[in-house]
Amino acid sequence: MKFRGKIIDIACLNHFTRVVTTISKLTKMCVLRLTPDNLFFVLSGKVANGGVSMWCELSQANFFDEYQMEGVSSEDNEICLEVTPENLSRALKTVQNAKAVKVKLTKKHCPCLTIAAELPTLSSVSRVVTHDVPVDVIPRRLWHEFKEPSMPDFDVSIYLPPLKTMKNIVDRMKNLSNFLVIEANLNGEMNLKIETDLVSVTTHFRDLGNPPWGDDASQDGGPSQSRDPESMVEARVDIRRLQQFLMGQQVNPSKAMCNIVHQSVLHLILLHEDMSLQYFIPAVA
């Protein structure tokens, strides 16, 4: 197995750092899956058993000026590594002004992602800062656990309001309850609700729009034109998990949307021209 990449463009380095930092807010550990064309950050929690899952896909050509990798074999040309995204984020944040950053899979006291940055200098002597981020190599027999999750058979899909606005509201609601009800309909309306024995608070959003899934604006087994556009579909979730997702405003997504499986799953999506992030939150009773 071999992997090496090089980032020269500062904007690409900053964007890659923001993506990794966002992932570090969502999970302490995840799998970095490397293929010839893409990088994936994967968290494969069992949503049905109360865990969260995540799938983040990046096109390597939009981030790396040089990118070379050889997988475990010609048939299975991939590399899967377990990594702590916070460690990777910290290393990248320290090299934001570098002239070039190289990322390489190395073998030192343990397998590592080695990040070597050439820093600007006023003299003729170059300065190179190196960080070794420990990783674990995941054996081929476990790869089936880290495949792209299927789109759930949702009941309603809706665009989210600006994430910063939504985050400010959810942050305030967290002081009132550990759980939040998010509900939406096919008329572009969404509500965030807190309901306890002492207080009931609701924030309303209107005219958000509903994504056109499929030719008839529906998904097989999901929302359809037969559903009453005014009828609300809801999911009650752990408010802390929603807060974590809303940290994704750092990546400046072009679109953010939410799919709701009634009282079952909240499927959140961030889209950017060079990345996509899916996050699954189980509903709670």
Side-chain angles (χ1 to χ4, degrees), residues 56-75:
C56 182
E57 180 175 345
L58 312 177
S59 173
Q60 61 87 0
N62 291 325
F63 293 89
F64 290 86
D65 297 276
E66 298 176 14
Y67 184 93
Q68 298 175 327
M69 62 87 58
E70 294 179 15
V72 296
S73 68
S74 57
E75 295 80 15

Side-chain angles (χ1 to χ4, degrees), residues 20-207:
V20 174
T21 300
T22 295
I23 297 220
S24 72
K25 305 294 184 183
L26 297 176
T27 177
K28 293 182 179 179
M29 297 290 293
C30 71
V31 170
L32 172 58
R33 180 179 160 210
L34 302 168
T35 70
D37 298 318
N38 297 294
L39 298 86
F40 304 90
F41 290 94
V42 186
L43 174 64
S44 59
K46 304 298 182 184
V47 176
N49 297 328
V52 299
S53 66
M54 174 194 69
W55 177 268
C56 182
E57 180 175 345
L58 312 177
S59 173
Q60 61 87 0
N62 291 325
F63 293 89
F64 290 86
D65 297 276
E66 298 176 14
Y67 184 93
Q68 298 175 327
M69 62 87 58
E70 294 179 15
V72 296
S73 68
S74 57
E75 295 80 15
D76 298 310
N77 192 21
E78 297 184 13
I79 300 173
C80 285
L81 307 169
E82 187 175 51
V83 62
T84 302
E86 184 177 1
N87 291 343
L88 189 56
S89 172
R90 286 176 177 172
L92 290 169
K93 284 181 178 179
T94 63
V95 298
Q96 289 300 284
N97 296 321
K99 293 193 292 183
V101 174
K102 296 179 181 178
V103 184
K104 183 180 180 181
L105 180 61
T106 59
K107 177 69 173 178
K108 298 194 175 179
H109 58 285
C110 67
C112 293
L113 278 176
T114 296
I115 299 173
E118 183 182 351
L119 300 180
T121 178
L122 297 177
S123 66
S124 58
V125 180
S126 63
R127 292 191 301 151
V128 177
V129 173
T130 301
H131 295 270
D132 292 321
V133 179
V135 297
D136 288 323
V137 178
I138 296 176
R140 174 68 184 86
R141 68 179 184 276
L142 299 179
W143 285 8
H144 68 277
E145 298 180 13
F146 310 110
K147 299 300 182 182
E148 182 173 6
S150 59
M151 180 78 75
D153 292 333
F154 52 81
D155 295 294
V156 162
S157 181
I158 191 167
Y159 289 113
L160 293 176
L163 295 187
K164 186 174 183 179
T165 299
M166 190 172 173
K167 180 178 181 300
N168 289 338
I169 293 169
V170 171
D171 285 348
R172 290 180 173 86
M173 285 183 162
K174 185 176 180 296
N175 297 324
L176 302 175
S177 175
N178 292 326
F179 301 98
L180 175 145
V181 174
I182 181 168
E183 61 179 12
N185 62 21
L186 294 176
N187 202 30
E189 299 172 332
M190 186 181 80
N191 300 324
L192 303 178
K193 301 195 301 185
I194 292 289
E195 296 177 338
T196 70
D197 294 337
L198 299 177
V199 65
S200 177
V201 178
T202 304
T203 299
H204 304 274
F205 296 94
R206 303 187 186 280
D207 302 320

